[in-house]
Amino acid sequence: MSKKTTKTSFFCKECGYESAKWLGQCPNCKSWNAFVEDESLESIASNSVIGSLDIGAKDIEALSLDDIEVLNEERLKTGIDEFDNLLGGGIVRGSITLMGGSPGIGKSTLLLQVAKVLGDKGIDVLYVSGEESLSQIKLRANRIGNFSKNVKFISETNLDVVLKSIIKTRPGFVVIDSIQTMAMNVDDKVPGSITQVRLCTQNIFRVCKEYNISAFIVGHITKEGTVAGPKLLEHIVDTVLYFEDDRASNLRILRCDKNRFGTSDALAVFEMTGSGLSEVVNPSKIFIDSRQNDATGVTTTCIVEAGRPILLEVQALVTKSNFGIPRRNINGGDINRLNLLIAILEKRMNIPLFQYDIYVNITGGFKIKDTSVDLAIIMAILSSYKDKKLGTDCIYCGEIGLSGEVRSIKNVNVRVKESIKLGYKRIFLPKISVDSLDDSIYKEYKDVEIKGVKDVVN
Ligand code: TYD
Ligand code: MG
């Protein structure tokens, strides 16, 4: 029997930083109390069967740019246009993609659909599930449609077995669902640990690159909103896609965070239906409540995400506080930004908001970082506080500065045109952004009022 030695190291749960001893704070990502002990990578690699796959050190010749051939990467088109576009025109052959998202959001569903269309096109697909039995997968796949024989399934959590099967069958497309259920060199290993997640990803990467296989790796996101050991997985793979969380509606936003073969500033919107996810080709107005909510504290804004204008409803509820410390909450935005906006309203408009609880909700399930929603948030808060309606035909866009000034925003033309297209008649923009509007807008839309706002000062 070969002697196995096990060496352990400490790993940061958040970013995967490895250290020989336990540390209170991670020197890499600065999170506290994140170190856990696990078998060291070196030790696992030396004990793993995958060691036999070692490609060895080859002699290599360095080339000048003139001698380097540019290869056009071959892409597998799925025919699900939103998905293909998100990836920059289809799945690059031999590329490794991480798909993250919270449990139940639709990762397996979407990848089953992708597996089906690729199978229909004659590509051999291997779908590896570590989460569900074969019969569970079959029940689910039946909802999606009839799969061709090109799509094969295995239910397995031992990655050594999975890799052997990949090497033997050489499919064109592989799905690993999910990385947290896989383990290598398993005698007593627990899947889902930092080392296992990293090691499994590295080996999937290695095997798939060696045989030019495209692979999708599913990663669950933890409560804190990160894939277990997110940074290290993001480093390894070529492309990272995340499902953003809005379980309240049927809409699912898939965002590209990193893409070695295309732009990373891209997103796709899907709707969960009885037979899988269907693409939403024009998402700009889908997040607006069709009832046209004309209650107080409700207004509309237009953000630009990945070059696309998207209209969102912003709602605020301002109520007398019964506690010493008022409550503040925001859905779909940043709580620190909300606190800042409230502070600006108190100081610049002399409104005693410290006596009020404030709740803000931005529809759509985006985690909005675009500060152009500031003006809409402030208007919604004022509307609820004063109990005055804002009118259902208004759009507010603008960033608010600390002295209450409304600062310029990008893409004003796109936002204005989209808002007009969807029937909005009064558009409030930063005063200085109004100057950069195309003349054609004024000529074409005479019944639309465009107003420049300079500040929100009393
Ligand atoms: P799933 O793809 O299993 O999520 P994940 O892999 O990200 O954990 O999605 C599961 C949800 O989707 C589940 O609640 C059932 C629902 N669903 C549909 O509504 N329609 C369908 O056609 C399928 C397959 C699932
Ligand atoms: Mg799943």
Side-chain angles (χ1 to χ4, degrees), residues 99-113 127 131-132 139-144 177-178 218-220 243 247 250 252 271-277:
M99 183 183 277
S102 53
I105 193 126
K107 302 180 293 296
S108 308
T109 305
L110 182 59
L111 289 175
L112 272 175
Q113 289 176 265
Y127 194 104
E131 311 213 318
E132 288 164 306
L139 285 178
R140 183 205 286 270
N142 281 343
R143 296 177 67 174
I144 288 166
D177 187 1
S178 66
V218 171
H220 288 300
F243 267 110
R247 295 293 298 283
N250 284 333
R252 301 283 183 268
E271 188 175 4
M272 185 60 93
T273 69
S275 54
L277 289 158

Side-chain angles (χ1 to χ4, degrees), residues 251-263:
L251 296 167
R252 301 283 183 268
I253 299 149
L254 188 59
R255 194 189 283 279
C256 185
D257 253 31
K258 163 184 173 181
N259 194 351
R260 283 195 187 137
F261 310 104
T263 154

Side-chain angles (χ1 to χ4, degrees), residues 317-328 352-359:
L317 186 65
V318 179
T319 57
K320 232 12 200 179
S321 181
N322 290 318
F323 301 96
I325 302 169
R327 290 170 186 235
R328 265 88 219 251
L353 289 173
F354 61 90
Q355 299 167 2
Y356 292 84
D357 293 337
I358 299 175
Y359 304 93

Side-chain angles (χ1 to χ4, degrees), residues 192-260:
S193 72
I194 303 267
T195 21
Q196 281 293 341
V197 164
R198 171 149 72 176
L199 187 78
C200 290
T201 309
Q202 278 169 342
N203 281 297
I204 295 163
F205 188 89
R206 215 164 126 196
V207 169
C208 291
K209 287 287 171 194
E210 178 73 9
Y211 298 108
N212 206 21
I213 297 167
S214 309
F216 266 67
I217 300 173
V218 171
H220 288 300
I221 288 191
T222 59
K223 268 205 295 312
E224 296 80 40
T226 49
V227 176
K231 294 217 177 71
L232 57 114
L233 291 196
E234 289 182 0
H235 282 312
I236 302 170
V237 299
D238 297 313
T239 307
V240 178
L241 304 179
Y242 282 116
F243 267 110
E244 279 186 7
D245 212 349
D246 180 28
R247 295 293 298 283
S249 80
N250 284 333
L251 296 167
R252 301 283 183 268
I253 299 149
L254 188 59
R255 194 189 283 279
C256 185
D257 253 31
K258 163 184 173 181
N259 194 351
R260 283 195 187 137

